[in-house]
Amino acid sequence: MLFRWAEIVSDEDVWTRYEDEVDVAIVGGGPAGLSAAIRLRQLANEAGLDTEEFRVCVIEKAANIGDHILSGACLQTTALDELIPGT
């Protein structure tokens, strides 16, 4: 193990594991991941499933949702506008 990580690795508060059970886990909080999660919840709601019967989780490694997509690229919002009308 590298010396620079020794203090962090030995600190149990830093490495506390979080465990949960979900039906769908989406990795990445960019436009595609969020769109997939939103649409899955919409379909589940239409099928009459509540949040305990069908759980969707979005996992993002950045501090904030979408932080890793800031590349200077332009985003066409048409698909998101259709997914969530009136926003």
Side-chain angles (χ1 to χ4, degrees), residues 11-85:
D11 185 354
E12 289 183 17
D13 291 331
V14 173
W15 295 101
T16 302
R17 285 183 180 251
Y18 177 79
E19 226 175 275
D20 199 358
E21 290 186 20
V22 298
D23 295 293
V24 178
I26 298 170
V27 179
L34 291 177
S35 295
I38 290 167
R39 187 62 184 140
L40 283 169
R41 281 304 318 153
Q42 288 174 339
L43 292 170
N45 291 343
E46 289 171 12
L49 301 174
D50 66 24
T51 55
E52 290 302 315
E53 292 175 306
F54 185 77
R55 299 185 66 204
V56 178
C57 173
V58 177
I59 301 169
E60 172 62 63
K61 69 180 179 178
N64 297 299
I65 291 290
D67 273 357
H68 285 288
I69 63 167
L70 299 177
S71 65
C74 295
L75 175 66
Q76 177 56 269
T77 63
T78 306
L80 289 173
D81 294 338
E82 290 176 12
L83 187 61
I84 310 172

